[in-house]
Amino acid sequence: MLASPSYSRAASRFPPALHSSGNVFTGFIPIRRVTGAQVCTRRSTLKVTCRRARERVIEEESSQMAETNKQSFKVSSGEKSPLGVSQVDKGINFALFSHNATSVTLCLSLPQSDKEDDVDVVELVLDPSINKTGDTWHICVEDLPLRNVLYGYRVDGSGEWNQGHRFDRSILLLDPYAKLVKGRSFFGDSSQKFAQFYGTYDFETSPFDWGDDYKFPNIPEKDLVIYEMNVRAFTADESSGIDPSIAGSYLALIEKIPHLLDLGINAVELLPVFEFDELELQRRPNPRDHMVNTWGYSTVNFFAPMSRYASGEGDPIKASKEFKEMVKALHSAGIEVILDVVYNHTNEADDKYPYTTSFRGIDNKIYYMLDPNNQLLNYSGCGNTLNCNHPVVMELILDSLKHWVTEYHVDGFRFDLASVLCRDTDGSPLSAPPLIRAIAKDSVLSRCKIIAEPWDCGGLYLVGKFPNWDRWAEWNGMYRDDVRRFIKGDCGMKGSFATRVSGSSDLYQVNQRKPYHGVNFIIAHDGFTLRDLVTYNSKHNEANGEGGNDGCNDNYSWNCGSEGETGDAHIKSLRVRQMKNFHLALMISQGTPMMLMGDEYGHSRYGNNNSYGHDTALNNFQWKEASLNISRLLWILPCNCCIMFFSELIKFRHSHHVLKHENFLSKGEITWHEDNWDNSESKFLAFTLHDGVNGQDVYAAFNAHDYFVKALIPLPPSGKQWFRVADTNLESPDDFVKEGVAGVAEAYNVASFSSILLKSM
C-alpha cells in the first residue's frame, strides 16, 4: 500500500543518519581481505581478484590499498544451521534461506570510532557450489568483531513478477532471523523516514543477569486480569513526570509498575514490540502521510525488540537489555508479560505500493500467499498475508516464539488476526492447521498462555470454533458485542448476556476447554475507549485522513443522549454509571477479563475508533487525569469517573473464587433469579453465585431499563447476611465499599441503567 522511497535503497554507503555519537555504530570501515567468496565494493577504489579456493586469502591488488586501513579476514563455506547469525569456532556464521534465489550477497560494515564519514559496504558474493546447502545460503567470516557489525543481503533470482517473484538485487534486505535490528535512532524522527533496517548481533556482552531469586509468576489462567497496553503510549506524555530521555521506553514502564499493582493487574498484554517502522505511512504522499504508526501492527522482523523503545537514542543492544529489565521487574511484581504478535502479515505492503525490506525480496513465493495469478492475497487488510502454514514460514514463526520465551522470558502471546494462521498456502481454511497444532504441542511454549484473535479480514470468523487442542484461548468477540448491547438497553439481549457472564458455555464447553479459554473484553485497542463507548453513537475518524471510511461501523455504542462531550449533568452522570456497569459485568463474569489502558480513568479519543496513527495525547496515557481520579477530585474530571471503583472491583474478583471457576458452572453453583426469559422487553437480570465451602455467596443484578426495578433479594446462606459492596448509581466513595454495607433488606431498588453487587458474610 506504500510507495518505495524516492532515493535508491541500492546506495552502497550506509546513510549518515546511522552514525551516532553513542557507544555503537560511530563509523564503519570496509573489509579488506577475504577468502572463499567473491568480494565487491560499490566504488571503484578496490580491485579484488576472485577465488573459489577455501581458506586462501585474496590479496588486494590496487596500489591504493597500501594507503588505506587494512584488516585481513578469512571466510569459509559456513554452516546451514542455525539460520541467522551465530558464533562458531571459526568465526561468525551467516545463514539465509531462499529456495528461488540464484545469487546471494552478504553485505557487511564494521564499527570504527575514529571515522565519521561515509564508507562503502563490502559485499561478499556467495558461491552456490560452496556456500549453499539445499535451499540455505551460508558463509563463515573469521575475525569479525563480536558486536556492532551491521549486515544485510542482496538477493537475486531468475523468476519474473508474473511468476510470483519479487527479486531486486539493488535492495539491501534484512535477515528474517536477525536477532537485533538497527533502524532510525529516534522514534518518529521524520528526518530519518527513509532509514534502512540492518541486522546486527552481540556475542560479546555477558548474559543478562536474571538474579538468583528470580522466578516466573506462573499465574493460573483462571486468575488472570489482563491489561492491554502500549509501551510507548503508557509513559510518553509529559504528564507521566518521567525524564524525557526515557519516557516512552521499556525502562519508563518499570517506573509505573506501582500503578498496575494499585489497579490490581497481574498480566500486561503489550501491543507489538517487535521491530516495526513507525514512519511507513510517510514514505510517499498520501492522505495518511501525517500519521505515525504508534500501535506497531506492521512487523519488520519477528525476533528483534523494537529498538526505539530503548531509552535515549534507539539502539538494538540496549533495547534487548532494557526489555529484559522490564520483564524482570514486572515478574518481580507478580505481573506476567503477554506479547501481541503479528504473524499474519508484514510491513512490506502490497504490489501496488511495495515496501521491500526483507521477505519479499528474499523469496516472495515462499513467504507470502499468492493467488493463481501470482498476486499477493490479502486476508490481513494490510496488502499481504504471511504464508504461515508453509513449512519454512511455520518454522520461522515457531523459532521466533521460542526465542521470545527463552531469551526474554515472556509468559504468553496474543496472536493478531489468528484466523490467517488457520489458512492453507492457497488461502483456504484448514480444520487442523499445522502451525496452530505445533504451537499448542511445543514443549518450550508449554508454559505460555496462547490467545487467538479468532477472525481475519477475509471473513474467517472462528470465535468458539478456533482449532485449539484444548490449549488455545480466544478473544471472545461475542462477549464484547452481547454485553455492550445489553448494558445499553437493547431488547432481547438478556439471555445472551446471561450466557456471556456465566462463561460462554455455548462457545467453549467442548472437549477439555475451560471458561478461562474465553478472554472477555468490552474494550480493546482498536475501537472506542470505554468513555467513548458511552459518549458517541458514531465514529469520528476524520483526523485519520481517510474521510471517515476507516474503522468499524458496528460499535454497539450509545452516547446517553448527546453526541460527544456535554455539560449536561444528567447525561454525564448516566455515562459514569454505564462505564461502571460495564466494568462490573466484566469483573464478575466467568472467564479471563481484559481491560484497556486508560479506561480506569476514562481516557477519550474523542470518538476516533481507529487511532493507530497518532503519537499524541489521543493515545497517550494522561497521568494528571489518573492522579486526580485517584485523589477523588472527581468534580474536576469531565467524565466524573473513579479509578478507585475499577481497582477495588478487580481486587474483589481476586479475593472471590466464585468469580473465576476452573470449570463451567453447574446448577448448584449459580441461581438465576428469573422467570421472564422469553420476554424480549425484559432488561433486568439477577443471579447468585454460590460458595459451597465458606458460604461467601455473591449476588449481582443489572438493570438496563430506564426506570427503577424493585429486586427481591434471596435469602443469604445460613448464618450469613447480605452486605452491599457496589451500587453504580451511587457516587464515590459510596459506589464501592470493599468491607460491605450492612442492612440490605428483602428488596432493593435498582436504579435505571445501574447494577449492584452484594456479598454474604
Side-chain angles (χ1 to χ4, degrees):
M1 291 186 291
L2 304 174
S4 298
S6 57
Y7 81 102
S8 172
R9 298 181 84 90
S12 62
R13 294 185 296 276
F14 286 78
L18 288 185
H19 293 240
S20 75
S21 58
N23 61 349
V24 295
F25 307 119
T26 52
F28 305 91
I29 60 172
I31 298 173
R32 297 303 184 189
R33 299 183 182 182
V34 298
T35 200
Q38 182 177 345
V39 179
C40 301
T41 64
R42 306 296 281 183
R43 287 181 182 174
S44 58
T45 55
L46 298 179
K47 291 183 179 179
V48 182
T49 304
C50 299
R51 299 285 189 270
R52 285 189 175 182
R54 300 182 185 181
E55 309 300 335
R56 180 176 180 181
V57 178
I58 301 177
E59 300 294 336
E60 298 160 336
E61 295 182 342
S62 172
S63 60
Q64 291 178 320
M65 292 303 96
E67 302 173 3
T68 62
N69 183 5
K70 295 185 179 181
Q71 190 167 357
S72 298
F73 292 89
K74 293 181 179 180
V75 302
S76 58
S77 62
E79 302 294 332
K80 68 175 183 178
S81 181
L83 293 173
V85 179
S86 56
Q87 186 180 18
V88 295
D89 291 340
K90 290 185 177 181
I92 305 298
N93 192 75
F94 298 82
L96 177 77
F97 171 88
S98 182
H99 173 72
N100 290 296
T102 56
S103 72
V104 171
T105 300
L106 173 65
C107 306
L108 296 169
S109 195
L110 285 76
Q112 179 174 310
S113 60
D114 60 351
K115 286 185 73 71
E116 296 288 341
D117 56 334
D118 287 3
V119 295
D120 295 315
V121 177
V122 167
E123 302 185 346
L124 308 179
V125 182
L126 276 62
D127 185 337
S129 68
I130 297 174
N131 303 111
K132 186 182 180 187
T133 302
D135 292 328
T136 301
W137 300 73
H138 44 79
I139 187 171
C140 180
V141 184
E142 297 185 30
D143 301 320
L144 278 177
L146 296 181
R147 59 181 276 167
N148 297 345
V149 173
L150 299 186
Y151 76 99
Y153 291 96
R154 301 189 189 280
V155 180
D156 205 356
S158 59
E160 300 297 328
W161 184 282
N162 59 10
Q163 296 174 307
H165 301 294
R166 303 293 184 267
F167 293 114
D168 185 343
R169 193 187 179 283
S170 69
I171 300 175
L172 188 65
L173 301 170
L174 177 66
D175 178 6
Y177 271 81
K179 302 303 189 297
L180 299 172
V181 173
K182 174 64 178 176
R184 66 182 60 87
S185 298
F186 297 98
F187 190 93
D189 182 359
S190 59
S191 69
Q192 295 186 359
K193 68 175 65 176
F194 298 127
Q196 178 81 43
F197 292 97
Y198 303 97
T200 186
Y201 56 81
D202 179 17
F203 298 118
E204 181 177 84
T205 303
S206 299
F208 182 79
D209 182 10
W210 291 95
D212 294 336
D213 58 349
Y214 170 82
K215 60 181 181 180
F216 294 98
N218 289 327
I219 300 170
E221 286 184 82
K222 70 180 183 64
D223 295 331
L224 289 178
V225 176
I226 300 174
Y227 188 78
E228 190 190 27
M229 63 180 298
N230 182 307
V231 169
R232 175 172 170 79
F234 195 48
T235 62
D237 195 82
E238 183 180 359
S239 64
S240 70
I242 291 178
D243 187 323
S245 67
I246 70 168
S249 70
Y250 302 122
L251 292 185
L253 191 152
I254 295 175
E255 294 195 19
K256 294 300 185 179
I257 288 177
H259 174 78
L260 302 176
L261 294 175
D262 288 343
L263 192 57
I265 296 300
N266 61 14
V268 292
E269 183 174 299
L270 305 180
L271 265 64
V273 293
F274 295 2
E275 185 72 27
F276 65 90
D277 184 0
E278 73 276 15
L279 295 181
E280 62 180 0
L281 300 170
Q282 299 185 18
R283 296 175 56 255
R284 65 179 179 89
N286 69 91
R288 299 185 294 163
D289 59 12
H290 61 292
M291 307 266 271
V292 175
N293 183 349
T294 61
W295 286 359
Y297 290 88
S298 193
T299 308
V300 170
N301 173 276
F302 295 113
F303 292 85
M306 178 60 171
S307 59
R308 288 170 298 289
Y309 284 174
S311 60
E313 185 172 340
D315 166 61
I317 296 175
K318 185 165 61 172
S320 176
K321 178 177 181 293
E322 293 179 359
F323 186 95
K324 293 171 185 175
E325 290 177 357
M326 176 191 70
V327 173
K328 181 179 177 180
L330 286 164
H331 282 180
S332 179
I335 298 173
E336 293 197 337
V337 179
I338 299 171
L339 302 187
D340 192 336
V341 291
V342 189
Y343 293 111
N344 59 82
H345 75 285
T346 74
N347 66 300
E348 294 189 299
D350 58 12
D351 280 333
K352 183 177 182 181
Y353 299 115
Y355 180 22
T356 302
T357 59
S358 182
F359 310 93
R360 176 197 294 269
I362 293 170
D363 207 329
N364 188 71
K365 289 194 73 171
I366 297 294
Y367 284 111
Y368 294 110
M369 294 184 190
L370 304 178
D371 66 18
N373 296 318
N374 286 313
Q375 300 299 302
L376 290 169
L377 289 169
N378 183 17
Y379 296 113
S380 67
C382 297
N384 64 68
T385 309
L386 208 63
N387 198 7
C388 299
N389 283 295
H390 185 285
V392 170
V393 184
M394 183 171 75
E395 182 179 11
L396 171 82
I397 293 172
L398 288 168
D399 288 345
S400 165
L401 292 170
K402 289 185 282 189
H403 176 70
W404 286 96
V405 172
T406 57
E407 182 73 15
Y408 294 102
H409 290 197
V410 303
D411 304 286
F413 305 92
R414 175 267 187 188
F415 293 78
D416 182 65
L417 297 183
S419 290
V420 165
L421 281 60
C422 299
R423 293 183 180 273
D424 205 347
T425 55
D426 62 358
S428 58
L430 295 166
S431 59
L435 174 60
I436 299 301
R437 183 187 187 279
I439 293 171
K441 299 294 184 180
D442 188 89
S443 59
V444 174
L445 305 178
S446 61
R447 72 168 184 84
C448 295
K449 281 74 177 179
I450 48 176
I451 305 169
E453 182 184 33
W455 51 80
D456 64 18
C457 294
L460 189 56
Y461 189 77
L462 295 175
V463 173
K465 298 173 290 186
F466 193 85
N468 56 81
W469 284 271
D470 297 327
R471 279 268 285 127
W472 282 83
E474 303 174 14
W475 268 23
N476 189 348
M478 293 185 70
Y479 179 96
R480 174 199 59 204
D481 297 345
D482 290 347
V483 173
R484 285 187 180 190
R485 294 186 63 191
F486 175 82
I487 295 295
K488 80 184 187 73
D490 282 2
C491 293
M493 294 305 301
K494 182 168 63 177
S496 296
F497 179 68
T499 300
R500 299 298 155 237
V501 298
S502 60
S504 296
S505 59
D506 61 325
L507 300 176
Y508 303 117
Q509 195 170 10
V510 179
N511 298 327
Q512 299 301 312
R513 301 194 86 183
K514 306 293 185 180
Y516 54 72
H517 285 133
V519 176
N520 298 328
F521 68 104
I522 296 160
I523 302 296
H525 66 276
D526 49 350
F528 283 146
T529 65
L530 186 59
R531 180 171 167 184
D532 289 354
L533 186 69
V534 300
T535 307
Y536 297 91
N537 283 348
S538 304
K539 65 184 182 184
H540 295 267
N541 294 0
E542 293 77 14
N544 297 351
E546 297 188 59
N549 292 318
D550 64 310
C552 182
N553 294 317
D554 300 320
N555 297 291
Y556 300 122
S557 62
W558 177 42
N559 63 21
C560 298
S562 178
E563 188 74 357
E565 298 299 327
T566 179
D568 188 300
H570 171 74
I571 293 176
K572 292 170 70 174
S573 176
L574 175 56
R575 288 173 176 174
V576 171
R577 293 206 305 277
Q578 289 290 76
M579 291 174 68
K580 291 190 287 188
N581 290 336
F582 279 121
H583 190 62
L584 179 58
L586 181 64
M587 289 302 153
I588 59 91
S589 295
Q590 304 296 319
T592 302
M594 183 188 77
M595 64 175 291
L596 177 66
M597 175 188 90
D599 279 348
E600 65 267 35
Y601 68 81
H603 184 85
S604 178
R605 296 176 185 153
Y606 304 100
N608 192 324
N609 73 352
N610 193 30
S611 63
Y612 65 95
H614 299 279
D615 189 31
T616 65
L618 199 68
N619 282 314
N620 293 344
F621 195 98
Q622 300 300 297
W623 287 96
K624 286 185 178 179
E625 289 195 30
S627 298
L628 289 171
N629 216 321
I630 292 173
S631 301
R632 296 181 178 175
L633 300 178
L634 302 175
W635 56 89
I636 298 178
L637 293 178
C639 71
N640 197 35
C641 179
C642 183
I643 211 172
M644 301 304 295
F645 181 90
F646 280 65
S647 63
E648 292 297 340
L649 190 50
I650 293 171
K651 294 167 186 175
F652 183 87
R653 177 183 177 85
H654 285 314
S655 62
H656 289 77
H657 69 88
V658 296
L659 302 178
K660 45 185 183 176
H661 278 266
E662 177 82 20
N663 298 303
F664 287 94
L665 297 173
S666 64
K667 290 183 178 180
E669 292 171 327
I670 187 170
T671 298
W672 301 102
H673 307 296
E674 180 61 56
D675 56 7
N676 206 15
W677 291 106
D678 296 329
N679 183 358
S680 64
E681 298 297 320
S682 177
K683 305 174 185 178
F684 181 88
L685 182 69
F687 58 91
T688 299
L689 292 165
H690 300 292
D691 176 7
V693 179
N694 301 312
Q696 295 180 349
D697 288 8
V698 170
Y699 171 93
F702 293 84
N703 180 18
H705 289 289
D706 58 1
Y707 52 80
F708 276 79
V709 171
K710 184 177 182 179
L712 298 179
I713 305 301
L715 292 174
S718 178
K720 308 286 185 178
Q721 61 176 308
W722 289 114
F723 288 77
R724 188 198 77 227
V725 177
D727 185 338
T728 62
N729 187 51
L730 301 177
E731 294 185 1
S732 181
D734 297 322
D735 55 354
F736 194 100
V737 181
K738 63 180 178 181
E739 300 84 3
V741 177
V744 176
E746 295 179 355
Y748 195 109
N749 281 325
V750 184
S752 62
F753 296 108
S754 69
S755 51
I756 65 170
L757 182 67
L758 312 178
K759 67 177 179 179
S760 64
M761 291 193 299

